[in-house]
């Protein structure tokens, strides 16, 4: 477990190179908090405390979100960091407008549809992950700077300093951090730069010890001092390109680590994109999300529109879960067929979110019987009731992302999901810089998902791979009601949908909706479900309708959220158990 220790983390500890010293025991995380002055929810106590301190000192939600994200780059580096990218959704209380910032990674200019094809065959997925081929141009540093410039009140220098201090002084290793390194020990050990940082003495740092990352601290300090041009146009860009083109692998490791072709010109050309958010009406509320190249906002929105045809609030639990699973199945079929980078493919976003199209899909739901296997996509431009076309299955996406949610005293709200893709990304730490590079380009389809049918998500020069990240903000009469999001690869969409349905239709509190057992139907035969879902009394009823389940020992998602309560207090909520539990905090606690 981790704690901020009021920005003076372990001042009595000896500051070591990446390594180990025993630290005092940290207090437990708090998954729920209510009060005034603003709120922060993330997966980590240190990061949440840093964001809350920014709010307490007068910063707004954008300032706190960037500070929290930077801290997560220290304490949750296997899910996010400056070597990755993400999507930032912001509600401006003054204008009552929702804005989005696309910080998704981009492929190099040399990339084509055969990026991951050798001798006419897709290369093994695991080999693609741990390679230079999988690394896209990082978008996270540009996202931080651009979000602060557009909507923040603090400089990048100000909001990076707490995270730099945390990296230099250290934090207490918890079980999750230890396990994530252990899960990746074989490939981490193949790269001397990664091995030195995360496997000191040849083993993961022990739980309860202090972990420091002075290289990352120095990198943050460089960005704080010089701005992100130091990463996109300076020596750091040269080091990233060199690392990708000549991965620093130990020859004795025996791994086939393919080089990539990312160049300093690719890195210098990177730009974030401010995009029009997705918007759909659900039960009289306005649901805003992230547009393409994320599929999150469009797919969550379509599923909600499908469920608008049914009185979900009055259903029994089994009927509700059946409709949730079937709406997810249909929305994913359409997602897979139609959504990609809008700079390269014509995404029918307006049509996918039309109620007319949703109605044409909703009539395919049979209350007594689940659809069989992989269902076909509809045509949103020419919707025909109960009609369908070519089936489009869902390819795999890495699950180790992170999400944070922030609100401030003025009513501004941020939902921000960021990632380096797999747990540990590409596995490659940039030597001397202290951060892992992403493997985001493996989110592209290696080959067409459905032979003979167009695939909107094949690689291309400068293209952004499709994502499932779904940071979501819900407004009631133009003011924020709640915001939420989750990690989990393609299961992000179903997690966010399930949290929203639990809160809006099923009478659950936000914290109960986040904690509820999860199922994820992504247009496959069996739905992926947690063991706790199989233990529900409704599971046998669902099976009798033809629902198939594949139990996973892993958790599905790790959501966070904030909600504005009727009396003006903010409620912050995070996972009570998943990924070791999350951390929620408010500036002025009031139960």
């Amino acid at each position: 477990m981790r704690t901020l220790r009021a920005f003076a983390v372990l001042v009595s500890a000896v500051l070591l190179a990446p390594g180990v010293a025993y630290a005092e025991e940290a207090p437990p995380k708090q998954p729920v908090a209510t009060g005034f002055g603003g709120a922060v929810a993330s997966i980590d106590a240190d990061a949440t405390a840093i964001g809350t301190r920014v709010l307490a000192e007068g910063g707004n939600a954008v300032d706190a979100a960037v500070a929290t994200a930077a801290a997560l780059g220290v304490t949750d580096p296997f899910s996010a960091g400056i070597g990755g990218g993400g999507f930032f959704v912001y509600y401006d209380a003054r204008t009552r407008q929702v804005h989005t910032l696309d910080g998704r990674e981009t492929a190099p200019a040399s990339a084509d549809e055969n990026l991951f094809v050798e001798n006419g065959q897709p290369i093994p997925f695991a080999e693609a992950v741990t390679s230079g081929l999988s690394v896209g141009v990082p978008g996270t540093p540009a996202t931080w700077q651009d979000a602060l410039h557009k909507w923040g009140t603090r400089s990048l220098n100000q909001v990076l300093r707490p995270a730099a201090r945390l990296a230099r002084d250290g934090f207490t290793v918890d079980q999750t951090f230890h396990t994530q390194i252990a899960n990746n020990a074989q490939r981490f050990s193949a790269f001397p730069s990664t091995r030195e940082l995360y496997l000191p003495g040849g083993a993961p740092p022990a739980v309860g010890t202090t972990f420091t990352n002075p290289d990352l601290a120095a990198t943050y300090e460089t960005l704080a001092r010089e701005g992100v041009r130091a990463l996109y146009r300076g020596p750091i860009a040269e080091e990233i390109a060199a690392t990708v083109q000549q991965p620093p692998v130990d020859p004795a490791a025996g791994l086939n680590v393919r080089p990539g072709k990312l160049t300093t010109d690719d890195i210098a050309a990177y730009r974030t994109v401010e995009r029009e958010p997705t918007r759909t009406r659900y039960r009289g509320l306005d649901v805003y999300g992230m547009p393409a190249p994320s599929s999150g906002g469009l797919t969550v929105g379509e599923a909600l529109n499908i469920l608008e045809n049914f009185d979900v609030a009055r259903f029994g639990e089994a009927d509700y879960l059946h409709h949730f699973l079937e709406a997810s199945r249909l929305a994913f079929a359409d997602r897979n067929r139609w959504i990609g980078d809008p700079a390269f493919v014509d995404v029918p976003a307006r049509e996918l979110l039309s109620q007319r199209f949703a109605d044409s899909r909703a009539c395919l739901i049979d209350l007594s019987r689940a659809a069989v296997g992989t269902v076909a996509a509809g045509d949103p431009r020419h919707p025909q009731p109960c009609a369908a076309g070519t089936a489009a299955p869902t390819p795999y996406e890495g699950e180790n992302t992170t999400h944070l949610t922030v609100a401030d005293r003025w009513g501004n709200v941020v939902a921000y999901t960021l990632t380096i893709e797999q747990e540990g990304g590409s596995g490659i730490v940039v030597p001397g810089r202290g951060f892992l590079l992403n493997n985001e380009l493996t989110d592209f389809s290696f080959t067409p998902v459905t032979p003979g049918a167009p695939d909107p998500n094949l690689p291309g020069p400068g293209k952004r791979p499709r994502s499932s990240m779904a940071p979501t903000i819900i407004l009631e009469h133009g003011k924020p009601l709640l915001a939420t999001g989750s990690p989990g690869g393609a299961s992000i969409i179903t997690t966010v949908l399930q949290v929203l349905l639990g809160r809006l239709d099923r009478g659950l509190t936000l914290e109960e909706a986040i904690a509820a057992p999860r199922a994820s139907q992504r247009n496959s035969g069996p739905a992926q479900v947690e063991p706790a879902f199989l233990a529900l009394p409704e599971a046998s009823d669902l099976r009798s309708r033809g629902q198939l389940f594949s139990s996973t020992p892993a958790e599905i998602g790790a959501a966070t959220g904030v909600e504005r309560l009727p009396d003006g207090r903010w409620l912050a909520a995070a996972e009570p158990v998943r990924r070791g539990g999350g951390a929620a905090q408010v500036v002025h606690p009031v139960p």
Side-chain angles (χ1 to χ4, degrees):
M1 297 176 185
R2 309 162 186 161
T3 182
L4 176 63
R5 293 165 174 56
F7 290 108
V9 184
L10 302 174
V11 292
S12 61
V14 177
L15 300 183
L16 305 174
V20 180
Y22 277 91
E24 60 194 71
E25 184 178 354
K29 294 176 178 178
Q30 179 178 319
V32 182
T34 57
F36 296 98
V40 181
S42 83
I43 198 63
D44 179 74
D46 286 306
T48 292
I50 281 176
T52 305
R53 176 63 64 89
V54 171
L55 294 178
E57 293 176 348
N60 72 5
V62 174
D63 306 324
V66 174
T68 304
L72 288 170
V74 179
T75 59
D76 193 20
F78 315 115
S79 299
I82 58 173
F87 296 103
F88 193 101
V89 179
Y90 167 62
Y91 169 79
D92 187 319
R94 183 181 62 83
T95 64
R96 295 192 177 187
Q97 298 295 310
V98 176
H99 305 269
T100 77
L101 200 58
D102 173 357
R104 185 66 158 160
E105 301 88 341
T106 56
S110 60
D112 60 21
E113 291 188 354
N114 294 315
L115 178 66
F116 294 110
V117 174
E118 289 181 356
N119 302 317
Q121 297 295 320
I123 66 176
F125 185 80
E127 293 183 16
V129 168
T130 308
S131 75
L133 283 176
S134 69
V135 180
V137 181
T140 291
T143 302
W144 294 352
Q145 181 158 289
D146 290 351
L148 291 169
H149 177 73
K150 292 172 183 289
W151 310 302
T153 68
R154 299 287 191 267
S155 68
L156 185 66
N157 185 316
Q158 289 172 301
V159 300
L160 283 185
R161 291 294 174 184
R165 189 176 303 119
L166 181 63
R168 191 171 298 282
D169 292 353
F171 61 90
T172 305
V173 173
D174 64 8
Q175 187 61 54
T176 300
F177 189 89
H178 173 89
T179 300
Q180 288 176 322
I181 296 174
N183 290 344
N184 289 277
Q186 182 176 4
R187 68 189 190 115
F188 280 6
S189 65
F191 303 98
S193 54
T194 311
R195 182 172 65 214
E196 178 185 353
L197 180 59
Y198 292 121
L199 294 164
V207 174
T209 60
T210 299
F211 185 87
T212 65
N213 190 340
D215 286 346
L216 181 59
T219 301
Y220 276 177
E221 288 162 357
T222 298
L223 298 181
R225 185 174 59 252
E226 301 178 21
V228 299
R229 64 183 177 276
L231 186 142
Y232 289 100
R233 293 181 178 273
I236 302 175
E238 296 174 1
E239 293 165 25
I240 291 173
T243 301
V244 170
Q245 293 172 23
Q246 296 181 306
V249 61
D250 184 344
L255 290 184
N256 181 14
V257 181
R258 293 168 175 82
K261 296 181 179 180
L262 192 71
T263 68
T264 54
D265 287 343
D266 294 322
I267 298 169
Y270 185 84
R271 300 292 185 274
T272 63
V273 182
E274 188 173 354
R275 302 187 186 276
E276 187 72 19
T278 63
R279 175 181 174 271
T280 192
R281 292 279 288 176
Y282 184 70
R283 316 296 189 202
L285 303 171
D286 291 303
V287 182
Y288 288 89
M290 195 68 214
S294 176
S295 62
L298 291 170
T299 311
V300 169
E302 182 188 341
L304 290 173
N305 286 339
I306 291 171
L307 292 168
E308 191 88 65
N309 285 271
F310 308 99
D311 194 354
V312 177
R314 293 182 178 273
F315 280 167
E317 190 70 6
D319 287 351
Y320 151 62
L321 291 170
H322 178 75
H323 282 77
F324 157 66
L325 292 166
E326 294 301 283
S328 299
R329 189 194 306 268
L330 293 166
F332 260 93
D334 301 326
R335 167 225 191 239
N336 299 339
R337 170 62 183 85
W338 299 106
I339 302 176
D341 184 343
F344 289 78
V345 296
D346 184 10
V347 180
R350 182 176 60 85
E351 293 88 349
L352 282 167
L353 287 181
S354 72
Q355 193 60 50
R356 180 186 174 207
F357 179 59
D359 295 348
S360 77
R361 304 294 276 155
C363 65
L364 290 166
I365 297 179
D366 183 340
L367 177 61
S368 64
R369 197 70 190 164
V372 177
T374 301
V375 303
D379 185 347
R381 293 190 176 94
H382 305 285
Q384 300 296 320
C386 305
T390 305
T394 303
Y396 175 76
E397 287 181 29
E399 300 177 357
N400 283 81
T401 300
T402 195
H403 178 83
L404 61 97
T405 322
V406 181
D408 64 30
R409 69 181 76 173
W410 300 282
N412 302 303
V413 177
V414 171
Y416 182 22
T417 313
L418 59 161
T419 185
I420 60 170
E421 185 60 6
Q422 297 291 121
E423 183 179 81
S426 65
I428 307 171
V429 167
V430 178
R433 293 298 180 179
F435 64 89
L436 285 154
L437 290 172
N438 69 82
N439 66 290
E440 212 64 61
L441 301 188
T442 59
D443 267 357
F444 284 123
S445 303
F446 287 19
T447 56
V449 169
T450 304
D455 189 323
N457 192 43
L458 292 171
K463 191 174 182 180
R464 298 172 190 235
R466 182 174 60 205
S467 169
S468 294
M469 288 183 272
T472 303
I473 295 177
I474 296 183
L475 305 185
E476 184 175 32
H477 307 305
K479 295 184 178 181
L481 174 63
L482 65 89
T484 191
S486 177
S491 72
I492 292 172
I493 291 167
T494 55
T495 294
V496 169
L497 178 62
Q498 195 172 356
V499 169
L500 294 180
L501 295 174
R503 179 67 193 92
L504 302 177
D505 283 318
R506 303 302 295 169
L508 302 181
T509 63
L510 180 58
E511 57 268 36
E512 289 170 341
I514 287 173
R518 293 204 183 116
S520 183
Q521 172 51 258
R522 306 192 293 274
N523 197 27
S524 60
Q528 182 186 33
V529 298
E530 295 177 330
F533 187 91
L534 291 179
L536 294 173
E538 293 78 18
S540 60
D541 184 321
L542 292 168
R543 284 196 180 97
S544 73
R545 306 183 199 206
Q547 295 289 356
L548 302 176
F549 301 126
S550 173
S551 180
T552 172
E555 301 136 339
I556 298 176
T560 71
V562 298
E563 179 177 349
R564 192 66 176 264
L565 302 177
D567 61 5
R569 288 177 301 155
W570 284 108
L571 180 147
E575 295 285 354
V577 176
R578 294 181 182 96
R579 292 202 185 182
Q585 194 171 346
V586 295
V587 176
H588 301 297
V590 177

